[in-house]
């Protein structure tokens, strides 16, 4: 019995040892990859392949977080002077900066290296801040000096926001993928290093001189005549900007200047017409127009064309300032204005677009016709740069068309509008006054008289927009010019004020009063030669620059 009991005890001890051994090895057998070479050891540590897989996963998650975080959070709104601007960062194979300038297009600057691209989009002007700058000329100088600080502060906030967004997005993404705090922390740290390193590389490789050598996109690519030599315009712009600082301050002197001109005192019932032309997208012109409209109590604004440069859809936003004038705005199309430009003007609540038609505003009957050409780019339309025989014939036909409309008008026409003065000849004797633009050179003259018909005066306006950017190509900026015309109750022109701002290289306002009828009449203007039909070159008029 004792021997049998000992055998049973030995059997139970052996079974217990086998069971304990099985329990020890069972977890290892259940563990993935257990027992295979290179994937683990007897201590349960991950092998090289597993560690490599985890590292690659962390790297992929971190890079995904960097890209998503940059796209989601890499943008800030900031003020740059009176502008509202948006700064955006995007991942890129190379650095650089794009400055979007609606409606002209964009400037591309080789500003820095690194895997991030900066995009600066200039938005609309803030009306309150803009008016504050206009009312206080000294603040314009301060705004110019603080513009660099505005950009620097905006870029700094953009960098901090981008880094924060990258880290946050990476942590969330890593936790969703790994469900492991340690790997999540590694992913966030790696994303922080990549984002900070990329921005640091961009900051250390900044090239301030890149702004002197921009590349152009959008409308500017097709406008070599407007852009001209970038270095020359950059140099001249300092002088031009200095003039504009004083310009907006000196505009307030207009009313004071008028009070010192006792030669002509407008009678009650006088109708005041402001003649503008060739704005060419210059936003400064609108502020000048607004000031003159308010201080001269203008009743009607007449625009003889070239309000834009290329007649494109983005430029249509420029005409939105017409509504702010809150006065009737009579407009004809210039050779730089397209049909969509005219349509954009027509959408303004106070605008009247004439195209071989007439209208009566403030007691004055006005007829007008758009320019028959659409030649925004002289390099592809040579006829736009000079008055050759085909162009002269085209303009004469245009003048004869509107002249016939004037003759058939049920009410006598007081003012006729053409863009190019070369089209004015056929209007002689049909109405007392013709207004034109196009040449960027102000002139007043008499059209050749038709026997038995009334004399017709031709008033050619300069450029109210200083010819836009092309005005910077000369040694001195093109002056901004406009004219206020005074009509009596009988709709006769009595006097006019020629207003010039920033001309002859000086930042000042010039106002010259001319009296048409009165005790001291102005000298009779010379007779203006007009083009004639025929294959031979036509008699030249002032060289058109518009």
């Amino acid at each position: 019995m004792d021997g049998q009991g000992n055998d049973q005890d030995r059997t139970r001890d052996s079974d217990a040892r086998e069971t304990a051994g099985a329990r020890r090895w069972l977890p290892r057998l259940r563990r993935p990859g257990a027992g295979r070479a290179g994937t683990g050891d007897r201590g349960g540590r991950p092998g090289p392949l597993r560690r490599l897989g985890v590292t690659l996963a962390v790297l992929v998650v971190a890079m995904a977080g960097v890209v998503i975080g940059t796209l989601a959070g890499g943008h800030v709104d900031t003020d740059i002077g009176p502008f509202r601007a948006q700064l955006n960062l995007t991942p890129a194979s190379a650095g650089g900066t794009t400055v979007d300038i609606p409606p002209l297009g964009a400037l591309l600057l080789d500003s820095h290296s690194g895997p991030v691209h900066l995009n600066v989009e200039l938005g609309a002007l803030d009306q309150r801040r803009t008016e504050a700058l206009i009312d206080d000329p000294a603040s314009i100088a301060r705004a110019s000096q603080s513009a660099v600080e505005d950009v620097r502060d905006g870029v700094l906030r953009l960098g901090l926001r981008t880094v924060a967004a990258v880290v946050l997005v990476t942590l969330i993404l890593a936790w969703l993928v790994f469900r492991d705090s340690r790997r999540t922390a590694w992913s966030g740290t790696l994303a922080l290093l990549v984002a900070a390193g990329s921005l640091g590389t961009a900051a250390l490789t900044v090239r301030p001189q890149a702004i002197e050598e921009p590349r152009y996109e959008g409308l500017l690519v097709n406008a070599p005549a407007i852009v001209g030599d970038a270095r020359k315009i950059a140099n001249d712009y300092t002088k031009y900007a200095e003039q504009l600082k004083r310009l907006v301050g000196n505009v307030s002197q207009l009313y004071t200047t008028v009070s010192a001109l006792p030669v002509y005192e407008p009678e009650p019932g006088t109708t005041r017409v402001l003649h503008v032309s060739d704005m060419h997208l210059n936003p400064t012109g609108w502020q000048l127009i607004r000031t003159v409209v308010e201080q001269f109590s203008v009743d009607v604004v007449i625009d003889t064309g070239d309000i834009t440069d290329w007649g494109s859809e983005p430029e249509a936003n420029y005409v939105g300032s017409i509504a702010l004038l809150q006065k009737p705005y009579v407009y004809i199309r210039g050779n730089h204005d397209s049909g969509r430009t005219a349509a954009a003007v027509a959408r303004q609540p106070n605008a009247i677009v004439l195209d071989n038609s007439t209208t009566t505003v403030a007691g004055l009957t006005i007829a007008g016709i758009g320019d028959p050409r659409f030649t925004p780019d002289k390099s592809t339309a040579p006829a736009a740069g000079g008055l050759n025989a085909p162009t002269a014939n085209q303009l004469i036909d245009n003048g004869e068309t509107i002249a016939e409309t004037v003759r058939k008008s049920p009410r006598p026409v007081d003012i006729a509008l053409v863009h190019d003065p070369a089209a004015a000849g056929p209007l002689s004797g049909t109405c007392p006054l013709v207004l034109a633009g196009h040449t960027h050179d102000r002139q007043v003259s008499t059209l050749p008289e038709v026997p038995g018909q009334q004399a017709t005066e031709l008033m050619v306006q300069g450029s109210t927009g200083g010819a836009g950017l092309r005005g910077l190509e000369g040694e001195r900026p093109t002056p901004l010019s406009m004219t206020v015309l005074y009509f009596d109750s009988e709709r006769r022109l009595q006097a006019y004020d020629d207003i010039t701002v920033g001309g002859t290289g000086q930042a000042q306002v010039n106002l010259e009063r001319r009296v048409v009828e009165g005790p001291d009449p102005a000298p009779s203007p010379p007779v203006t030669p007009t083009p004639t039909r025929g294959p031979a070159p036509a008699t030249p008029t002032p060289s058109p620059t518009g």
Side-chain angles (χ1 to χ4, degrees), residues 415-457:
I415 308 172
L417 311 179
V418 294
H419 176 64
D420 194 324
L427 287 162
S428 181
T430 64
C431 60
L433 179 62
V434 177
L435 301 182
H438 184 67
T439 65
H440 304 168
D441 182 21
R442 177 190 284 146
Q443 291 187 359
V444 179
S445 55
T446 303
L447 291 174
E449 293 189 23
V450 177
Q453 301 293 329
Q454 61 181 327
T456 299
E457 302 298 315

Side-chain angles (χ1 to χ4, degrees), residues 1-15 17:
M1 294 293 292
D2 292 340
Q4 185 179 359
N6 293 334
D7 292 339
Q8 291 177 350
D9 291 340
R10 285 194 295 271
T11 302
R12 283 196 296 269
D13 292 340
S14 177
D15 291 341
R17 287 194 296 271

